[in-house]
Amino acid sequence: MMWRSFIYKATACSLAVSALSVTHHAKADPLGDPQRGRYLAVASDCVACHTAPHGQPFAGGLAMHTPLGIMYSTNITPSLSAGIGHYSLEDFKKAVRRGVRKDGANLYPAMPYTSYSYLTDQDIADLYVYFQKKVAPVDTKGPVTALPFPMNIRFSMAFWNMLFLNGKPYQSDPTKSAEWNRGAYLVEGATHCGTCHTPRGFLMQEDLAHPLSGASLGTWYAPNITPDEVSGIGSWSAQELTEYLHTGRLHDKAQAGGGMGEAVEHSFSHMSSDDLNAIGVYLHSLKPVSNPKEQTSSRFVQGSDVNPAIKLRGVVPIMDHNDDAASGASLFMGSCASCHGASAQGSKDGYYPSLWHNSVTGASRGDNLISTILYGVSRSVEGHQAFMPSFGGKSGDAVQLDDNQIAKLSNFVFKTYGRPGVQVTPQDVALIRKGGPASPLLLLARVGMAASAILALILCVVLFAIRRHKNRNVA
């Protein structure tokens, strides 16, 4: 899902002075300010979901693989025939905050309206004017989302919203600083961090008992970003967090890939330093959440430099694929060492990161290492591209590795340079290659509807029998 180089760099500096306001005491202007709206669209990362690979900005058509099936993003350009050109401000507000389209149909929460419900009236108006006046209309409709039954019944989302939609704009906490409030407004609202980093409950709702403690996205895993010193990012300074959000990398600690790489490229790297600092202030103030699998050592300090060639040379043929260790080592030496170094130390400037003291190889699960190998990394910040080719077996990949080879390579890297207790199987790779596990919610919904139909039928039979018995007694 790494694509698109977009056009926000030129506007970021000029818009920084008009960064998002946490509180707005004046009456909302229905005309709005398109400049602030542009900045808000960047902060909300609208382009990431509403632009298909090689497609027109905001024209929709992006296929999003979810546990319930494939959802396609919609056209949000001001096109009258294919987009939202016919939306009034009130229509727009209902869609953004409540997930309800102009025609009354419910949106699926793949569009993070549960977070956008926190946006103020003024920010909604600014965003509306930006999309209506400054975005080029594209008169092309993308594919239509068609989830399997019964998830294709959009009305069911009305009940989901009753349970899980906040629906109230952000209210400032007078006991906290202005910087903290701005950070809370951004994290909980515009930047919708919880959409990825908060685990989901059985009904696919955010588990608010463990906010921002890490969640599976099917392919990638969004890690714990609470201030826990071991499981989260409590060991990061405010400056380090700002640097990571702005550049997508923190030397000898972490690099942004997948959806986070896109968020850095299209959103965080274009936000003002004040807003990035405010995000850090808020995140560091939250309650730490510990991962039981990471209670003793942080994912940022695992592993050390080892040169597998020294161990193998003259002892075991490096291309002996009958031996698991040699096979993993040979895959590493043939596919990874040319960039990351023979000892996985990375390059001095950090462009090629070290594979030890690395959040991916130090994690307690293999999702992100598998996804990095399968899909590669590509993000561009201020004209500088970070790139790693993919090895997932697609045409054009640098090397085409199958599930078994990726499992062996992953296990070698974890054992040699990261958290040695992590084990990756070919089945794990196949599942992530497929897009992640399906949700049991679909099966449950079908079983529930079948059971309801059977109960309704039984009730009808009982009522019919009672009525027939009464009629006989009357006769």
Side-chain angles (χ1 to χ4, degrees):
M1 291 175 61
M2 275 61 79
W3 68 89
R4 305 181 306 274
S5 176
F6 211 57
I7 57 173
Y8 295 122
K9 179 180 177 182
T11 62
C13 293
S14 63
L15 293 174
V17 296
S18 61
L20 300 177
S21 173
V22 172
T23 56
H24 185 79
H25 301 290
K27 184 178 180 181
D29 181 0
L31 295 179
D33 181 344
Q35 287 292 86
R36 292 189 73 255
R38 184 193 299 271
Y39 184 86
L40 181 62
V42 172
S44 303
D45 202 13
C46 302
V47 71
C49 289
H50 288 280
T51 306
H54 312 296
Q56 296 296 312
F58 304 114
L62 175 67
M64 295 176 286
H65 295 266
T66 77
L68 299 176
I70 298 178
M71 299 183 187
Y72 293 95
S73 62
T74 55
N75 184 327
I76 56 171
T77 73
S79 167
L80 291 172
S81 60
I84 59 171
H86 57 302
Y87 273 48
S88 67
L89 176 58
E90 284 303 311
D91 295 332
F92 185 78
K93 186 181 297 184
K94 287 181 180 178
V96 173
R97 276 197 186 146
R98 293 167 49 194
V100 179
R101 301 186 317 204
K102 182 178 176 63
D103 62 4
N106 289 92
L107 298 172
Y108 294 110
M111 189 280 202
Y113 59 83
T114 51
S115 295
Y116 295 159
S117 65
Y118 287 94
L119 299 182
T120 64
D121 287 342
Q122 185 62 62
D123 284 339
I124 292 288
D126 295 338
L127 197 58
Y128 173 75
V129 172
Y130 166 67
F131 278 108
Q132 294 292 348
K133 303 295 184 182
K134 299 299 181 180
V135 172
V138 179
D139 298 324
T140 303
K141 289 186 177 181
V144 177
T145 297
L147 296 183
F149 178 82
M151 297 304 170
N152 60 337
I153 303 175
R154 288 180 178 266
F155 180 70
S156 63
M157 293 309 306
F159 300 100
W160 190 90
N161 290 338
M162 290 174 62
L163 294 172
F164 306 119
L165 177 60
N166 170 63
K168 297 179 181 179
Y170 178 78
Q171 297 295 319
S172 295
D173 184 342
T175 67
K176 303 292 186 180
S177 67
E179 189 175 34
W180 184 95
N181 274 289
R182 175 168 295 185
Y185 179 71
L186 290 167
V187 170
E188 303 295 339
T191 62
H192 56 281
C193 301
T195 300
C196 291
H197 290 275
T198 296
R200 297 278 172 168
F202 187 75
L203 296 177
M204 305 303 292
Q205 82 282 9
E206 291 183 25
D207 178 7
L208 299 182
H210 303 90
L212 305 176
S213 60
S216 173
L217 305 179
T219 50
W220 298 85
Y221 186 84
N224 186 327
I225 56 172
T226 73
D228 187 85
E229 290 283 343
V230 177
S231 299
I233 56 173
S235 62
W236 292 18
S237 68
Q239 182 179 356
E240 286 178 323
L241 180 55
T242 298
E243 179 184 344
Y244 176 77
L245 292 176
H246 181 71
T247 65
R249 71 175 188 177
L250 194 57
H251 191 54
D252 284 340
K253 286 189 177 180
Q255 311 82 38
M260 188 63 195
E262 293 176 359
V264 169
E265 178 174 349
H266 302 299
S267 179
F268 290 117
S269 64
H270 304 287
M271 294 174 65
S272 69
S273 297
D274 286 344
D275 277 348
L276 296 182
N277 290 333
I279 289 173
V281 167
Y282 177 69
L283 289 178
H284 278 105
S285 75
L286 298 177
K287 179 181 178 180
V289 179
S290 176
N291 182 341
K293 294 183 179 180
E294 299 176 355
Q295 288 183 338
T296 58
S297 56
S298 167
R299 63 185 183 269
F300 306 115
V301 297
Q302 300 294 313
S304 60
D305 58 329
V306 176
N307 188 335
I310 296 175
K311 184 177 181 180
L312 291 170
R313 187 176 293 125
V315 179
V316 179
I318 197 167
M319 293 305 293
D320 182 1
H321 289 276
N322 294 318
D323 182 272
D324 285 345
S327 178
S330 65
L331 288 167
F332 171 82
M333 294 302 295
S335 300
C336 311
S338 59
C339 291
H340 293 283
S343 300
Q345 75 275 16
S347 58
K348 291 183 179 180
D349 63 358
Y351 180 86
Y352 298 111
S354 166
L355 297 186
W356 38 275
H357 293 187
N358 185 306
S359 63
V360 172
T361 60
S364 59
R365 51 191 297 157
D367 305 46
N368 286 353
L369 179 57
I370 296 171
S371 290
T372 301
I373 297 170
L374 280 173
Y375 307 118
V377 173
S378 180
R379 68 176 184 273
S380 180
V381 176
E382 296 182 339
H384 300 285
Q385 186 177 28
F387 178 77
M388 171 184 156
S390 53
F391 297 82
K394 301 184 298 294
S395 60
D397 282 355
V399 177
Q400 300 187 10
L401 302 180
D402 60 27
D403 296 343
N404 188 54
Q405 290 172 316
I406 291 176
K408 289 182 178 181
L409 174 58
S410 298
N411 287 328
F412 172 80
V413 170
F414 275 121
K415 183 179 180 180
T416 310
Y417 302 113
R419 193 177 293 267
V422 179
Q423 289 293 314
V424 174
T425 68
Q427 291 74 27
D428 295 331
V429 180
L431 186 62
I432 289 181
R433 190 192 292 272
K434 188 177 70 173
S439 170
L441 183 59
L442 182 60
L443 177 61
L444 179 68
R446 289 175 174 173
V447 171
M449 293 189 71
S452 299
I454 292 172
L455 289 175
L457 179 61
I458 292 173
L459 180 61
C460 289
V461 171
V462 171
L463 292 175
F464 177 77
I466 293 174
R467 183 176 181 182
R468 185 175 182 183
H469 180 70
K470 287 182 177 179
N471 289 338
R472 284 181 177 178
N473 289 340
V474 171

